[in-house]
Every structure is written in structure tokens, then in C-alpha cells.
Amino acid sequence: MDRIRNVYPSKPLRSAQHEIRLLELLPGDSGSKICGRLIHRSIEDSKRTYDALSYAWGDPTTTTAITLGSNESFHISTRLAAALQDLRHLDRPHFAWIDAICINQDSVQERNAQVRMMNRIFKGASCVRIWLDMELDPENDAISRLKLLGNATETDALGNDPHFWIPVSEIFENPYWKRIWIQQEIRNATRCEIQCRGTILPMSCLRQYILLVNNKLLEPGLYLSPWRNLKLAINGTMDCGSTSGSIFSSTPNGLLETLDSCRYLQCADERDRVFGLVTLVKGYNEGDMPIDYQLSVTEVYVNVVRYVLLKDKSLDFLLFACLRDGEIGQIFPSWVPDWSTQSRSYIPRDHYTNSLTCDVLCINTPQISNCGRVLRVQGIQIDHTYVLLQTLKDRHFTDKPMPDLRGISMNILECSIRQSGLLLQNHSQDDFETLPHFRALVRALLRIDAFDFTNSSHYEQYLLDNYESAKLLLGESRGSNSILRKEISLFELLFSVADLILDEHTELSHWLVGLILALWWRNPLVGSTGFISVEPNNAKLDDEIWILFGCTWPVTLRRQGDHYLVVGKAFMDGWIRGEWVKDVPAQVKDGDCVAGRTVRTIDLH
């Protein structure tokens, strides 16, 4: 990562005394050179005496020189220089904590110590000041009314014209809201203000605006109205919902859910994806995880696994791991999740905390090798891939007229099962539910990942573009002899119908969407026992399906000589709800029989 290099004009901090530096930003006229000096303070003694600046660093190759103590040519980013111009007063100094200035960025030891204290630094600030590199017209009617929304509870405060609030929507377009560090900076704030050059807005007003827009869309007839465009402009990070990816979330979550929900946020250093979030995690205590910039990204991600094993006594991190195509020699061990990827795992929320199977972990705790590349686990093999069925991704399945939703569902299964050699004979469209394993397959599919529509730009676009098509689809499906003649892609149908079932609570609609969701992201397959399962789309013949003690769900493993690689999580009815736990004795050792299978210890690489 590029970093601005400077001769740092300050003596080292005394970490044992929990020292921090504060910038005393000296007064000056607009446009004059920025001058300041650094002072050392104990974090306990400096509470509420400074502002903490939250901002996007900007391009490190474009810099401006300021005077900092004895250094008359201390270089900072041009963006930070613009922020300091806005922050400083004409007639008095301004005390602030700013990471790029108050931390010696060339000292790894100091960076480690200060990042460990980051939550305390922002909690101790008199105000966390969010600086956005944008202009707002303070005389604009929408901006003026926004300042009055702090205590508003009724949607009437928004008025009746959604276009009135377009100037506010521009705030959410700023790239600042995609930073990983704002999770910690804003959530720890006692008081928070947004400064757009000369215009200052209380964060509470913006938060209330978001809440009122969300409530407005719940009113009858407004879900697809122009009010929705305001919702679309609100960045997912700013959502007032309960997800841990929201900066307004007041309920801490586990480390796995926090990392998963914040995948879409950005950081210049991938280690910050963990360091910037771990102190927000439920049950975290200082020192539970090493915060050390001398560690590699792989070592940091392995430490996430160690943390989960220690604190949660769980192997559920395997549900976020996957073997990507062509990555047999990948950087991370296959059992270590790569938190830098944008695709979320979408595991139902209740499975982060309610695992019947995790109790089994206490019998024999998994071990990580000293080199950090091998994970030794214990479990049972429940099946292996016998026949791979056809994937539906990127394929039009409504390429012939469909009489109703049951016909579409039938077509999905028919295409897949025909390829497997399981012939569909003497089964009419009306009794397709009697096909072998169909109900079990549906139950398995409906228990898989809950797709998070709120973070999907595809969903929002297809919702608006294909609403009428989906409405036609559902309307036609209820006619006895109607024929659907419009061809709709799987992707269009997925997102359009998924929205409509919010109001159409029919079992059939849920079955259809469950099938499409499952088959969109994964491949159905037939195991050696004859049961249909759903596995990652990179599964291969002879991959094995395992229950690993301590993991909530089955996982697909690929044998490589004397060890295994983690392909991804698998879904097989009868094995995904902890049904087998009752068969586990108080003590388990290799060779014991559990659920009719032999217990084995294996190495994951």
C-alpha cells in the first residue's frame, strides 16, 4: 500500500501509559498555509477535549505540505489539507485527533498500539466529525428541512414530494460511506456531525431521514413509487436495519457475521478488514486477537479462525470458506475464508448463534498446525457425489410456454433429473410432488441462505424493470388454461417473483423461489445413497459430503492424497438441522459409530 513518507516531528508515544497525540491546529485565514503542533496526552486525561476526524484519505500521491512543529514540509494528502482548511478557526486553535498526522505511519509498533486503542480514541472524542469532500448549499430548502428532522417520528415530516429530497440523496453518493473504518469511527461516537465544506449537519438528522424514508415505503401503494428512488440512493452502509453492516446497528454480532456483512466495504490494507471490525464484535476483549501489521493477510485470516475456535468453540467459519476454480494452490488454506471477496455467504441469521452441532466440538477440539496451513478435525462422511445435475445459472428455462408456476417448477426439476438418468415416467404435471425426494429437496432448498436483497443493486434494478412481467407471470399462473408466452430469464424471474411473494404468501410461490435461489448459486446432485443434495457450483464427481463435529451444516470436501480441501457448504435434508446429534455419545474417538457412520480424524489443507 502506498503511504506518504515524512520525517516525523515528534518523540515516540509511551504505549504503556496509553498515550495519544493530538493536533493543535493553529488559527488561520482561508487559503493560508496550515500550521499546527503535536502534543502528547494520556487518553484518560484528554477525554472530551478534542474532535476525532473521520474522512477518506484520498490519493497518497497527491500531497500538500503543511508546517507541523519543527517540520515546515510535512506532507499530507490534498484531501486532508482541504479538510483542515475547513476545520480550523480564525481566532483560536482547534484540537483534533487525525490518524494520518497523530500516528507515526512509518512505525509499525506505534500503528499496532494505536489501532488497538482506536475504539477508545473515538469514544473519548467530544465530537466525531465526518468530513465529506463535497459542497452543500446551506440555503437549499431540503438541506434546511433536513436539519429539523432530528426529533421527527412521523413520515408526514417528509411531505408529499419525494423529488424535494434529491439534494439530500447526493450525500450518500460520496465514497466515504464505503470505508471499512467508519464502522468503528461512527459507532463509537458520543456525538457525530457531518461537515460538507462550510455546511454542518447533525448525524442524528441524517439517521432520522433514513428511518423516515424506510417507513414511508411501508405505507400502502408507495413501495414502487418515486419514494423508492430515495431509498436506492441510501448506501447499504447507512441502512438503519439490524444488520451488522449498518453503522447505526446498536447490537453487536459475532465475528463471522460482522466480517460477512461488511464484505462490500473497502480498505487500502486488507488486514484492516479484520483490525477495523474486531473490536466491535460481541464478546471481544482487548488482546483476544493480535493486531499486528507485521502479520501477513493470510496470518490475520488464520487468526480469525483461531478466535472463533477459542471464543465460539465452533467450526462454522467453514461455511464461509470455498475452493475457487483454479485455486488448488491458492494463497489461503481452503479452510480459511477469504473476507476480501465481494460475494456474501447468506447464511440464515439464526445459524450464527443457534447450532445444535457445535456442542460436539467440546469432545475433541480441532487443532491448527504450527505453520498455520493444516486444520485437524473430526467427523463422519455421510455421502459422496455420484451424479452432478445440470446447473441453471445463466440459462433461460422459460424457452417454451408454461401453463403455470407448477409447470415452471416441474421444468426445473425435469431438466436436472433427466440429465441424472432418473427418468420421469407416468408423472403428470399435477402430481410432480410425488416424485422421489422432491419434498425432501424442497425442504433442503428452503433452508439455505437467506438472500439479502437490501445489498443487491441487481435486485433493485430488476425490481423496477420487471415488475409488470412478474405481475403477468403470477396472474397467468392462476388461470386454468392460460399460457405464459413472454420469455423471462432466470435472473429476471428470480428477483421479480421474490419481491411479489412478500404479498403473495402461497406455498407454491415460496417453493418456486426457494428452488431458483438454490439452483442459481449451486448445483443439485445425486449422492451415492440416492438422495438429492445441493452443493457449491464447483463441486465435482466423487467429492465427499461430511459432518465435521462443531460445524452447523454439512460441508463438501475434496480428497487430495492424504488430506482434504474444503469445497464449500452442502445442503442435504435430514442432516442440516442437527438431527444426528442425538446419536453422539459423551465421548467420541476414531472408529466409533455415529449415525451409522464411522468417526474419523482428517487434515484439511
PDB file of all heavy atoms in Angstrom, residues 102-133:
ATOM      1  N   CYS A 102      -1.516  12.081  13.605  1.00  0.00           N
ATOM      2  CA  CYS A 102      -1.262  11.783  15.009  1.00  0.00           C
ATOM      3  C   CYS A 102      -0.619  10.419  15.234  1.00  0.00           C
ATOM      4  O   CYS A 102      -0.228  10.096  16.363  1.00  0.00           O
ATOM      5  CB  CYS A 102      -2.558  11.897  15.814  1.00  0.00           C
ATOM      6  SG  CYS A 102      -3.240  13.575  15.803  1.00  0.00           S
ATOM      7  N   ILE A 103      -0.530   9.604  14.218  1.00  0.00           N
ATOM      8  CA  ILE A 103       0.181   8.321  14.293  1.00  0.00           C
ATOM      9  C   ILE A 103       1.370   8.381  13.361  1.00  0.00           C
ATOM     10  O   ILE A 103       1.245   8.788  12.199  1.00  0.00           O
ATOM     11  CB  ILE A 103      -0.734   7.145  13.881  1.00  0.00           C
ATOM     12  CG1 ILE A 103      -1.970   7.050  14.787  1.00  0.00           C
ATOM     13  CG2 ILE A 103       0.036   5.830  13.907  1.00  0.00           C
ATOM     14  CD1 ILE A 103      -2.948   5.960  14.374  1.00  0.00           C
ATOM     15  N   ASN A 104       2.525   7.996  13.854  1.00  0.00           N
ATOM     16  CA  ASN A 104       3.699   7.879  13.004  1.00  0.00           C
ATOM     17  C   ASN A 104       3.500   6.660  12.100  1.00  0.00           C
ATOM     18  O   ASN A 104       3.694   5.518  12.517  1.00  0.00           O
ATOM     19  CB  ASN A 104       4.961   7.722  13.851  1.00  0.00           C
ATOM     20  CG  ASN A 104       6.223   7.649  13.002  1.00  0.00           C
ATOM     21  OD1 ASN A 104       6.170   7.648  11.770  1.00  0.00           O
ATOM     22  ND2 ASN A 104       7.372   7.584  13.665  1.00  0.00           N
ATOM     23  N   GLN A 105       3.109   6.905  10.871  1.00  0.00           N
ATOM     24  CA  GLN A 105       2.737   5.837   9.962  1.00  0.00           C
ATOM     25  C   GLN A 105       3.923   4.963   9.563  1.00  0.00           C
ATOM     26  O   GLN A 105       3.738   3.854   9.056  1.00  0.00           O
ATOM     27  CB  GLN A 105       2.067   6.418   8.710  1.00  0.00           C
ATOM     28  CG  GLN A 105       0.784   7.188   8.986  1.00  0.00           C
ATOM     29  CD  GLN A 105      -0.322   6.302   9.538  1.00  0.00           C
ATOM     30  OE1 GLN A 105      -0.439   5.135   9.176  1.00  0.00           O
ATOM     31  NE2 GLN A 105      -1.148   6.862  10.425  1.00  0.00           N
ATOM     32  N   ASP A 106       5.150   5.429   9.798  1.00  0.00           N
ATOM     33  CA  ASP A 106       6.324   4.633   9.459  1.00  0.00           C
ATOM     34  C   ASP A 106       6.740   3.702  10.595  1.00  0.00           C
ATOM     35  O   ASP A 106       7.659   2.893  10.416  1.00  0.00           O
ATOM     36  CB  ASP A 106       7.496   5.551   9.107  1.00  0.00           C
ATOM     37  CG  ASP A 106       7.274   6.283   7.790  1.00  0.00           C
ATOM     38  OD1 ASP A 106       6.592   5.714   6.920  1.00  0.00           O
ATOM     39  OD2 ASP A 106       7.771   7.412   7.640  1.00  0.00           O
ATOM     40  N   SER A 107       6.081   3.803  11.742  1.00  0.00           N
ATOM     41  CA  SER A 107       6.397   2.949  12.886  1.00  0.00           C
ATOM     42  C   SER A 107       5.323   1.875  13.028  1.00  0.00           C
ATOM     43  O   SER A 107       4.199   2.165  13.438  1.00  0.00           O
ATOM     44  CB  SER A 107       6.488   3.774  14.176  1.00  0.00           C
ATOM     45  OG  SER A 107       6.580   2.931  15.309  1.00  0.00           O
ATOM     46  N   VAL A 108       5.672   0.640  12.671  1.00  0.00           N
ATOM     47  CA  VAL A 108       4.708  -0.454  12.780  1.00  0.00           C
ATOM     48  C   VAL A 108       4.295  -0.651  14.235  1.00  0.00           C
ATOM     49  O   VAL A 108       3.118  -0.884  14.533  1.00  0.00           O
ATOM     50  CB  VAL A 108       5.298  -1.758  12.197  1.00  0.00           C
ATOM     51  CG1 VAL A 108       4.368  -2.939  12.465  1.00  0.00           C
ATOM     52  CG2 VAL A 108       5.539  -1.604  10.711  1.00  0.00           C
ATOM     53  N   GLN A 109       5.252  -0.546  15.139  1.00  0.00           N
ATOM     54  CA  GLN A 109       4.955  -0.731  16.554  1.00  0.00           C
ATOM     55  C   GLN A 109       3.935   0.293  17.038  1.00  0.00           C
ATOM     56  O   GLN A 109       2.997  -0.040  17.769  1.00  0.00           O
ATOM     57  CB  GLN A 109       6.244  -0.622  17.376  1.00  0.00           C
ATOM     58  CG  GLN A 109       6.043  -0.865  18.862  1.00  0.00           C
ATOM     59  CD  GLN A 109       7.355  -0.765  19.637  1.00  0.00           C
ATOM     60  OE1 GLN A 109       8.408  -0.488  19.062  1.00  0.00           O
ATOM     61  NE2 GLN A 109       7.293  -0.994  20.933  1.00  0.00           N
ATOM     62  N   GLU A 110       4.101   1.548  16.614  1.00  0.00           N
ATOM     63  CA  GLU A 110       3.150   2.581  17.037  1.00  0.00           C
ATOM     64  C   GLU A 110       1.786   2.392  16.389  1.00  0.00           C
ATOM     65  O   GLU A 110       0.748   2.570  17.039  1.00  0.00           O
ATOM     66  CB  GLU A 110       3.694   3.964  16.703  1.00  0.00           C
ATOM     67  CG  GLU A 110       2.805   5.101  17.216  1.00  0.00           C
ATOM     68  CD  GLU A 110       3.490   6.445  17.131  1.00  0.00           C
ATOM     69  OE1 GLU A 110       4.585   6.586  17.729  1.00  0.00           O
ATOM     70  OE2 GLU A 110       2.947   7.352  16.478  1.00  0.00           O
ATOM     71  N   ARG A 111       1.768   2.019  15.123  1.00  0.00           N
ATOM     72  CA  ARG A 111       0.482   1.764  14.454  1.00  0.00           C
ATOM     73  C   ARG A 111      -0.275   0.651  15.169  1.00  0.00           C
ATOM     74  O   ARG A 111      -1.489   0.748  15.392  1.00  0.00           O
ATOM     75  CB  ARG A 111       0.701   1.388  12.985  1.00  0.00           C
ATOM     76  CG  ARG A 111       1.120   2.552  12.101  1.00  0.00           C
ATOM     77  CD  ARG A 111       1.498   2.055  10.718  1.00  0.00           C
ATOM     78  NE  ARG A 111       0.364   1.456  10.022  1.00  0.00           N
ATOM     79  CZ  ARG A 111       0.486   0.557   9.045  1.00  0.00           C
ATOM     80  NH1 ARG A 111       1.687   0.120   8.695  1.00  0.00           N
ATOM     81  NH2 ARG A 111      -0.586   0.079   8.449  1.00  0.00           N
ATOM     82  N   ASN A 112       0.433  -0.418  15.525  1.00  0.00           N
ATOM     83  CA  ASN A 112      -0.218  -1.516  16.234  1.00  0.00           C
ATOM     84  C   ASN A 112      -0.869  -1.035  17.522  1.00  0.00           C
ATOM     85  O   ASN A 112      -2.036  -1.340  17.806  1.00  0.00           O
ATOM     86  CB  ASN A 112       0.811  -2.610  16.555  1.00  0.00           C
ATOM     87  CG  ASN A 112       1.338  -3.318  15.334  1.00  0.00           C
ATOM     88  OD1 ASN A 112       0.736  -3.254  14.256  1.00  0.00           O
ATOM     89  ND2 ASN A 112       2.458  -3.998  15.490  1.00  0.00           N
ATOM     90  N   ALA A 113      -0.107  -0.283  18.330  1.00  0.00           N
ATOM     91  CA  ALA A 113      -0.614   0.163  19.624  1.00  0.00           C
ATOM     92  C   ALA A 113      -1.791   1.115  19.476  1.00  0.00           C
ATOM     93  O   ALA A 113      -2.777   1.027  20.225  1.00  0.00           O
ATOM     94  CB  ALA A 113       0.516   0.833  20.412  1.00  0.00           C
ATOM     95  N   GLN A 114      -1.722   2.020  18.486  1.00  0.00           N
ATOM     96  CA  GLN A 114      -2.792   2.999  18.328  1.00  0.00           C
ATOM     97  C   GLN A 114      -4.069   2.387  17.750  1.00  0.00           C
ATOM     98  O   GLN A 114      -5.177   2.746  18.142  1.00  0.00           O
ATOM     99  CB  GLN A 114      -2.316   4.152  17.435  1.00  0.00           C
ATOM    100  CG  GLN A 114      -1.232   5.004  18.069  1.00  0.00           C
ATOM    101  CD  GLN A 114      -1.750   5.854  19.220  1.00  0.00           C
ATOM    102  OE1 GLN A 114      -2.430   6.858  19.017  1.00  0.00           O
ATOM    103  NE2 GLN A 114      -1.423   5.457  20.443  1.00  0.00           N
ATOM    104  N   VAL A 115      -3.917   1.435  16.832  1.00  0.00           N
ATOM    105  CA  VAL A 115      -5.107   0.772  16.280  1.00  0.00           C
ATOM    106  C   VAL A 115      -5.824  -0.035  17.364  1.00  0.00           C
ATOM    107  O   VAL A 115      -7.052  -0.108  17.395  1.00  0.00           O
ATOM    108  CB  VAL A 115      -4.720  -0.113  15.075  1.00  0.00           C
ATOM    109  CG1 VAL A 115      -5.883  -1.006  14.664  1.00  0.00           C
ATOM    110  CG2 VAL A 115      -4.300   0.768  13.903  1.00  0.00           C
ATOM    111  N   ARG A 116      -5.061  -0.617  18.291  1.00  0.00           N
ATOM    112  CA  ARG A 116      -5.688  -1.336  19.405  1.00  0.00           C
ATOM    113  C   ARG A 116      -6.526  -0.394  20.272  1.00  0.00           C
ATOM    114  O   ARG A 116      -7.488  -0.823  20.914  1.00  0.00           O
ATOM    115  CB  ARG A 116      -4.623  -2.016  20.266  1.00  0.00           C
ATOM    116  CG  ARG A 116      -3.850  -3.124  19.571  1.00  0.00           C
ATOM    117  CD  ARG A 116      -2.886  -3.824  20.522  1.00  0.00           C
ATOM    118  NE  ARG A 116      -1.903  -4.620  19.786  1.00  0.00           N
ATOM    119  CZ  ARG A 116      -0.607  -4.363  19.752  1.00  0.00           C
ATOM    120  NH1 ARG A 116      -0.111  -3.345  20.444  1.00  0.00           N
ATOM    121  NH2 ARG A 116       0.213  -5.124  19.052  1.00  0.00           N
ATOM    122  N   MET A 117      -6.158   0.885  20.296  1.00  0.00           N
ATOM    123  CA  MET A 117      -6.857   1.873  21.120  1.00  0.00           C
ATOM    124  C   MET A 117      -7.903   2.658  20.334  1.00  0.00           C
ATOM    125  O   MET A 117      -8.537   3.563  20.868  1.00  0.00           O
ATOM    126  CB  MET A 117      -5.847   2.860  21.710  1.00  0.00           C
ATOM    127  CG  MET A 117      -4.831   2.241  22.649  1.00  0.00           C
ATOM    128  SD  MET A 117      -3.480   3.397  23.034  1.00  0.00           S
ATOM    129  CE  MET A 117      -4.394   4.796  23.678  1.00  0.00           C
ATOM    130  N   MET A 118      -8.106   2.323  19.055  1.00  0.00           N
ATOM    131  CA  MET A 118      -8.928   3.157  18.186  1.00  0.00           C
ATOM    132  C   MET A 118     -10.343   3.350  18.715  1.00  0.00           C
ATOM    133  O   MET A 118     -10.904   4.459  18.658  1.00  0.00           O
ATOM    134  CB  MET A 118      -8.982   2.552  16.784  1.00  0.00           C
ATOM    135  CG  MET A 118      -9.404   3.541  15.711  1.00  0.00           C
ATOM    136  SD  MET A 118      -8.094   4.701  15.305  1.00  0.00           S
ATOM    137  CE  MET A 118      -7.056   3.681  14.276  1.00  0.00           C
ATOM    138  N   ASN A 119     -10.944   2.297  19.244  1.00  0.00           N
ATOM    139  CA  ASN A 119     -12.308   2.447  19.753  1.00  0.00           C
ATOM    140  C   ASN A 119     -12.346   3.419  20.927  1.00  0.00           C
ATOM    141  O   ASN A 119     -13.271   4.228  21.055  1.00  0.00           O
ATOM    142  CB  ASN A 119     -12.890   1.092  20.152  1.00  0.00           C
ATOM    143  CG  ASN A 119     -12.068   0.390  21.217  1.00  0.00           C
ATOM    144  OD1 ASN A 119     -10.861   0.613  21.339  1.00  0.00           O
ATOM    145  ND2 ASN A 119     -12.712  -0.474  21.990  1.00  0.00           N
ATOM    146  N   ARG A 120     -11.318   3.405  21.779  1.00  0.00           N
ATOM    147  CA  ARG A 120     -11.271   4.325  22.916  1.00  0.00           C
ATOM    148  C   ARG A 120     -11.012   5.757  22.459  1.00  0.00           C
ATOM    149  O   ARG A 120     -11.533   6.710  23.050  1.00  0.00           O
ATOM    150  CB  ARG A 120     -10.193   3.877  23.897  1.00  0.00           C
ATOM    151  CG  ARG A 120     -10.460   2.493  24.496  1.00  0.00           C
ATOM    152  CD  ARG A 120      -9.267   1.964  25.265  1.00  0.00           C
ATOM    153  NE  ARG A 120      -8.924   2.825  26.394  1.00  0.00           N
ATOM    154  CZ  ARG A 120      -7.830   2.680  27.131  1.00  0.00           C
ATOM    155  NH1 ARG A 120      -6.958   1.716  26.834  1.00  0.00           N
ATOM    156  NH2 ARG A 120      -7.590   3.486  28.141  1.00  0.00           N
ATOM    157  N   ILE A 121     -10.238   5.905  21.405  1.00  0.00           N
ATOM    158  CA  ILE A 121      -9.955   7.241  20.876  1.00  0.00           C
ATOM    159  C   ILE A 121     -11.231   7.903  20.377  1.00  0.00           C
ATOM    160  O   ILE A 121     -11.511   9.074  20.666  1.00  0.00           O
ATOM    161  CB  ILE A 121      -8.893   7.172  19.762  1.00  0.00           C
ATOM    162  CG1 ILE A 121      -7.532   6.782  20.355  1.00  0.00           C
ATOM    163  CG2 ILE A 121      -8.789   8.488  19.018  1.00  0.00           C
ATOM    164  CD1 ILE A 121      -6.466   6.495  19.320  1.00  0.00           C
ATOM    165  N   PHE A 122     -12.054   7.156  19.642  1.00  0.00           N
ATOM    166  CA  PHE A 122     -13.276   7.742  19.091  1.00  0.00           C
ATOM    167  C   PHE A 122     -14.367   7.880  20.156  1.00  0.00           C
ATOM    168  O   PHE A 122     -15.171   8.804  20.106  1.00  0.00           O
ATOM    169  CB  PHE A 122     -13.754   6.934  17.886  1.00  0.00           C
ATOM    170  CG  PHE A 122     -13.015   7.295  16.632  1.00  0.00           C
ATOM    171  CD1 PHE A 122     -11.806   6.693  16.322  1.00  0.00           C
ATOM    172  CD2 PHE A 122     -13.496   8.264  15.775  1.00  0.00           C
ATOM    173  CE1 PHE A 122     -11.099   7.043  15.187  1.00  0.00           C
ATOM    174  CE2 PHE A 122     -12.804   8.626  14.631  1.00  0.00           C
ATOM    175  CZ  PHE A 122     -11.593   8.015  14.335  1.00  0.00           C
ATOM    176  N   LYS A 123     -14.376   6.984  21.126  1.00  0.00           N
ATOM    177  CA  LYS A 123     -15.315   7.146  22.244  1.00  0.00           C
ATOM    178  C   LYS A 123     -14.974   8.374  23.080  1.00  0.00           C
ATOM    179  O   LYS A 123     -15.859   9.032  23.630  1.00  0.00           O
ATOM    180  CB  LYS A 123     -15.296   5.892  23.122  1.00  0.00           C
ATOM    181  CG  LYS A 123     -16.049   4.712  22.571  1.00  0.00           C
ATOM    182  CD  LYS A 123     -15.966   3.524  23.533  1.00  0.00           C
ATOM    183  CE  LYS A 123     -16.717   2.322  22.973  1.00  0.00           C
ATOM    184  NZ  LYS A 123     -16.595   1.137  23.880  1.00  0.00           N
ATOM    185  N   GLY A 124     -13.675   8.668  23.204  1.00  0.00           N
ATOM    186  CA  GLY A 124     -13.253   9.781  24.043  1.00  0.00           C
ATOM    187  C   GLY A 124     -13.373  11.142  23.387  1.00  0.00           C
ATOM    188  O   GLY A 124     -13.191  12.169  24.055  1.00  0.00           O
ATOM    189  N   ALA A 125     -13.667  11.189  22.102  1.00  0.00           N
ATOM    190  CA  ALA A 125     -13.747  12.467  21.393  1.00  0.00           C
ATOM    191  C   ALA A 125     -14.986  13.254  21.809  1.00  0.00           C
ATOM    192  O   ALA A 125     -16.053  12.677  22.055  1.00  0.00           O
ATOM    193  CB  ALA A 125     -13.753  12.232  19.892  1.00  0.00           C
ATOM    194  N   SER A 126     -14.840  14.564  21.868  1.00  0.00           N
ATOM    195  CA  SER A 126     -16.005  15.411  22.117  1.00  0.00           C
ATOM    196  C   SER A 126     -16.999  15.295  20.972  1.00  0.00           C
ATOM    197  O   SER A 126     -18.211  15.285  21.170  1.00  0.00           O
ATOM    198  CB  SER A 126     -15.553  16.863  22.273  1.00  0.00           C
ATOM    199  OG  SER A 126     -16.660  17.727  22.379  1.00  0.00           O
ATOM    200  N   CYS A 127     -16.461  15.185  19.751  1.00  0.00           N
ATOM    201  CA  CYS A 127     -17.308  15.027  18.563  1.00  0.00           C
ATOM    202  C   CYS A 127     -16.520  14.269  17.508  1.00  0.00           C
ATOM    203  O   CYS A 127     -15.329  14.537  17.300  1.00  0.00           O
ATOM    204  CB  CYS A 127     -17.728  16.397  18.024  1.00  0.00           C
ATOM    205  SG  CYS A 127     -18.701  16.333  16.494  1.00  0.00           S
ATOM    206  N   VAL A 128     -17.137  13.309  16.883  1.00  0.00           N
ATOM    207  CA  VAL A 128     -16.563  12.674  15.696  1.00  0.00           C
ATOM    208  C   VAL A 128     -17.069  13.471  14.500  1.00  0.00           C
ATOM    209  O   VAL A 128     -18.281  13.539  14.254  1.00  0.00           O
ATOM    210  CB  VAL A 128     -16.972  11.190  15.582  1.00  0.00           C
ATOM    211  CG1 VAL A 128     -16.528  10.627  14.239  1.00  0.00           C
ATOM    212  CG2 VAL A 128     -16.365  10.389  16.721  1.00  0.00           C
ATOM    213  N   ARG A 129     -16.138  14.083  13.802  1.00  0.00           N
ATOM    214  CA  ARG A 129     -16.501  14.981  12.707  1.00  0.00           C
ATOM    215  C   ARG A 129     -16.252  14.279  11.371  1.00  0.00           C
ATOM    216  O   ARG A 129     -15.102  13.991  11.000  1.00  0.00           O
ATOM    217  CB  ARG A 129     -15.701  16.275  12.801  1.00  0.00           C
ATOM    218  CG  ARG A 129     -16.226  17.380  11.895  1.00  0.00           C
ATOM    219  CD  ARG A 129     -15.661  18.726  12.298  1.00  0.00           C
ATOM    220  NE  ARG A 129     -16.022  19.089  13.659  1.00  0.00           N
ATOM    221  CZ  ARG A 129     -17.196  19.613  14.017  1.00  0.00           C
ATOM    222  NH1 ARG A 129     -18.122  19.822  13.086  1.00  0.00           N
ATOM    223  NH2 ARG A 129     -17.431  19.920  15.266  1.00  0.00           N
ATOM    224  N   ILE A 130     -17.328  13.981  10.674  1.00  0.00           N
ATOM    225  CA  ILE A 130     -17.247  13.354   9.354  1.00  0.00           C
ATOM    226  C   ILE A 130     -17.061  14.462   8.323  1.00  0.00           C
ATOM    227  O   ILE A 130     -17.911  15.347   8.193  1.00  0.00           O
ATOM    228  CB  ILE A 130     -18.526  12.555   9.052  1.00  0.00           C
ATOM    229  CG1 ILE A 130     -18.700  11.421  10.055  1.00  0.00           C
ATOM    230  CG2 ILE A 130     -18.500  12.018   7.629  1.00  0.00           C
ATOM    231  CD1 ILE A 130     -20.047  10.735   9.954  1.00  0.00           C
ATOM    232  N   TRP A 131     -15.938  14.412   7.616  1.00  0.00           N
ATOM    233  CA  TRP A 131     -15.699  15.428   6.594  1.00  0.00           C
ATOM    234  C   TRP A 131     -15.873  14.801   5.222  1.00  0.00           C
ATOM    235  O   TRP A 131     -15.223  13.820   4.875  1.00  0.00           O
ATOM    236  CB  TRP A 131     -14.290  16.008   6.721  1.00  0.00           C
ATOM    237  CG  TRP A 131     -14.041  17.130   5.753  1.00  0.00           C
ATOM    238  CD1 TRP A 131     -14.387  18.446   5.909  1.00  0.00           C
ATOM    239  CD2 TRP A 131     -13.410  17.032   4.469  1.00  0.00           C
ATOM    240  NE1 TRP A 131     -14.004  19.178   4.811  1.00  0.00           N
ATOM    241  CE2 TRP A 131     -13.395  18.332   3.906  1.00  0.00           C
ATOM    242  CE3 TRP A 131     -12.844  15.984   3.751  1.00  0.00           C
ATOM    243  CZ2 TRP A 131     -12.846  18.594   2.664  1.00  0.00           C
ATOM    244  CZ3 TRP A 131     -12.302  16.251   2.502  1.00  0.00           C
ATOM    245  CH2 TRP A 131     -12.303  17.541   1.972  1.00  0.00           C
ATOM    246  N   LEU A 132     -16.805  15.366   4.446  1.00  0.00           N
ATOM    247  CA  LEU A 132     -17.071  14.894   3.088  1.00  0.00           C
ATOM    248  C   LEU A 132     -16.563  15.926   2.094  1.00  0.00           C
ATOM    249  O   LEU A 132     -16.836  17.132   2.232  1.00  0.00           O
ATOM    250  CB  LEU A 132     -18.576  14.665   2.875  1.00  0.00           C
ATOM    251  CG  LEU A 132     -19.265  13.680   3.818  1.00  0.00           C
ATOM    252  CD1 LEU A 132     -20.737  13.521   3.425  1.00  0.00           C
ATOM    253  CD2 LEU A 132     -18.566  12.332   3.807  1.00  0.00           C
ATOM    254  N   ASP A 133     -15.854  15.469   1.110  1.00  0.00           N
ATOM    255  CA  ASP A 133     -15.274  16.348   0.099  1.00  0.00           C
ATOM    256  C   ASP A 133     -16.341  16.717  -0.929  1.00  0.00           C
ATOM    257  O   ASP A 133     -16.313  16.253  -2.074  1.00  0.00           O
ATOM    258  CB  ASP A 133     -14.084  15.650  -0.568  1.00  0.00           C
ATOM    259  CG  ASP A 133     -13.272  16.596  -1.435  1.00  0.00           C
ATOM    260  OD1 ASP A 133     -13.523  17.811  -1.372  1.00  0.00           O
ATOM    261  OD2 ASP A 133     -12.376  16.113  -2.165  1.00  0.00           O
TER     262      ASP A 133
END
